[in-house]
Amino acid sequence: KEDKKEKAPNICLITERFNDMCRLIVSEIVTSPCITTRVERIEKWAAVADICRCLHNFNGVLQVCAAFTNSSVFRLKKTWERIGKTTSGTISKLQALVSSDGRHRNLRDALHRCD
């Protein structure tokens, strides 16, 4: 909409921040010169997302998972083959948490358990 920055400036800022973080993660992974560096960076960001989950920062988890499903990162088949089983399991668990299945049921359940 044309007047969205006037009607909802804070929502626009949150959306811009989300997109900036996703682009940061994607660029950090994609601009790595070799596969081992890319693997290390993916593992680092998976650990950051898991820490965000522990701190109940589900927006941070969603940012990292969105970056991992970005087409530029998702296409790195040889890199994803070298990811360790522990990290792969963590990423799968995090992606299941923020999955849109059942209108984000897993995420809503996690939010209810935060107390």
Side-chain angles (χ1 to χ4, degrees), residues 8-111:
N10 294 329
I11 299 296
C12 290
L13 289 172
I14 290 170
T15 304
E16 287 176 26
R17 175 71 176 173
F18 184 94
N19 292 335
D20 288 344
M21 283 300 298
C22 288
R23 280 191 292 269
L24 171 76
I25 296 166
V26 168
S27 67
E28 188 172 318
I29 293 168
V30 172
T31 59
S32 301
C34 62
I35 292 176
T36 54
T37 310
R38 283 194 294 260
V39 169
E40 289 171 1
R41 291 183 180 178
I42 288 173
E43 289 177 344
K44 177 190 83 168
W45 282 108
V48 168
D50 198 35
I51 292 168
C52 288
R53 180 193 57 82
C54 293
L55 296 172
H56 306 300
N57 179 0
F58 299 112
N59 193 50
V61 176
L62 190 57
Q63 289 171 347
V64 175
C65 288
F68 286 165
T69 57
N70 181 289
S71 63
S72 300
V73 175
F74 192 75
R75 288 187 312 219
L76 301 170
K77 299 294 182 197
K78 292 179 182 176
T79 303
W80 286 107
E81 289 171 359
R82 291 193 178 185
I83 300 292
K85 289 181 181 180
T86 307
T87 305
S88 291
T90 302
I91 292 171
S92 297
K93 179 178 66 172
L94 295 171
Q95 287 178 338
L97 175 66
V98 297
S99 171
S100 62
D101 294 343
R103 296 185 317 237
H104 298 279
R105 179 169 180 81
N106 294 337
L107 191 56
R108 285 186 284 122
D109 289 344
L111 284 169

